[in-house]
Amino acid sequence: MTWQEFLVESLTSPSEVRAVASSSQGLAELITDLASLDDADAVIELGPGSGVFTEKIVEKTKVGSTFLAFEVNHRFVEVTRRRCPRCTVLQQSAVHARKHLNESGHEHCDSVVSGLPWATFSESEQDDLLDAVSEVLRPGGTFVALAYVSALLLPRGRGFRRKLHQRFTDVEQSRVVWRNMPPAFVYRAVR
Ligand SMILES: C[S@@+](CC[C@H](N)C(=O)[O-])C[C@H]1O[C@@H](n2cnc3c(N)ncnc32)[C@H](O)[C@@H]1O
């Protein structure tokens, strides 16, 4: 998907996409390096968009592992399915992750990789989505989430960081990827 097509999708479905461009390769490399993917038997991605992180997750997980991605935008679902056939891309909100993980034969997953725009969600949406993450992630599992630097200026961006510290142990912030548009970093948290 070109950047122009991504922009069209973000302009025509702004309430879903809530980003102007797909993430850079540098950010995709960073978030997937932090996601403890090497030995993972089951991985979940939230909000893959055009599949930039998805492609790297496929590269870094072992063959035979389960990989489910949850995306609400139908155009992005099609694009990511084509780009990453090894990933099961579901056109579903991430809040339904547990049901689909259980149907795939797993009680828990080892890693959750999030490209969701957390700072644009209401308090209750953040809580519902974080509940879904806690439900699927095994104790000791890794949760990594993309965050825009600019989101730290927003009350909901800071609220999301607070919620992470309340719900997870070992919450860390990565270096900033300035070449991403907009500049972004990664939260890494352990359940
Ligand atoms: C900021 S974009 C990031 C896309 C991609 N991960 C990237 O970094 O380029 C956020 C994505 O989350 C999707 N999304 C928003 N709310 C969602 C939800 N509740 N469940 C699943 N996907 C959602 C949007 O459609 C969009 O593709």
Side-chain angles (χ1 to χ4, degrees):
M1 179 178 249
T2 63
W3 69 265
Q4 291 96 333
E5 287 168 321
F6 192 103
L7 187 59
V8 167
E9 216 46 49
S10 99
L11 293 174
T12 51
S13 308
S15 62
E16 283 175 2
V17 179
R18 311 187 209 199
V20 288
S22 58
S23 293
S24 61
Q25 288 293 322
L27 185 62
E29 200 68 60
L30 177 66
I31 195 167
T32 52
D33 277 351
L34 294 173
S36 314
L37 297 174
D38 287 356
D39 294 325
D41 291 319
V43 177
I44 287 182
E45 183 182 5
L46 316 179
S50 60
V52 177
F53 298 168
T54 323
E55 198 168 64
K56 292 271 178 234
I57 294 169
V58 168
E59 273 174 37
K60 295 181 186 184
T61 46
K62 57 189 180 197
V63 176
S65 56
T66 296
F67 179 18
L68 307 181
F70 294 85
E71 171 56 61
V72 287
N73 179 285
H74 74 95
R75 176 96 176 89
F76 287 148
V77 169
E78 285 167 18
V79 169
T80 302
R81 278 183 184 152
R82 266 203 309 276
R83 187 171 181 177
C84 303
R86 192 161 87 60
C87 174
T88 303
V89 186
L90 298 150
Q91 189 179 347
Q92 292 281 338
S93 168
V95 292
H96 304 302
R98 177 160 69 173
K99 171 176 173 287
H100 294 277
L101 181 68
N102 292 165
E103 282 172 8
S104 77
H106 294 269
E107 184 72 20
H108 289 111
C109 67
D110 304 289
S111 181
V112 175
V113 178
S114 163
L116 294 177
W118 289 95
T120 70
F121 293 136
S122 67
E123 282 268 326
S124 65
E125 285 173 319
Q126 286 187 354
D127 286 334
D128 291 347
L129 286 159
L130 283 170
D131 285 347
V133 173
S134 300
E135 283 169 7
V136 293
L137 199 56
R138 69 166 168 80
T142 303
F143 175 46
V144 284
L146 144 75
Y148 298 121
V149 174
S150 52
L152 289 176
L153 300 172
L154 304 173
R156 286 178 190 167
R158 292 195 298 274
F160 174 63
R161 182 172 58 184
R162 219 170 20 251
K163 286 176 199 287
L164 283 181
H165 283 279
Q166 286 161 357
R167 287 168 175 258
F168 295 89
T169 55
D170 301 335
V171 180
E172 289 170 12
Q173 278 180 230
S174 75
R175 65 179 168 81
V176 173
V177 180
W178 292 103
R179 287 175 160 228
N180 196 72
M181 198 181 80
F185 62 92
V186 176
Y187 288 111
R188 182 181 192 277
V190 176
R191 175 161 174 237

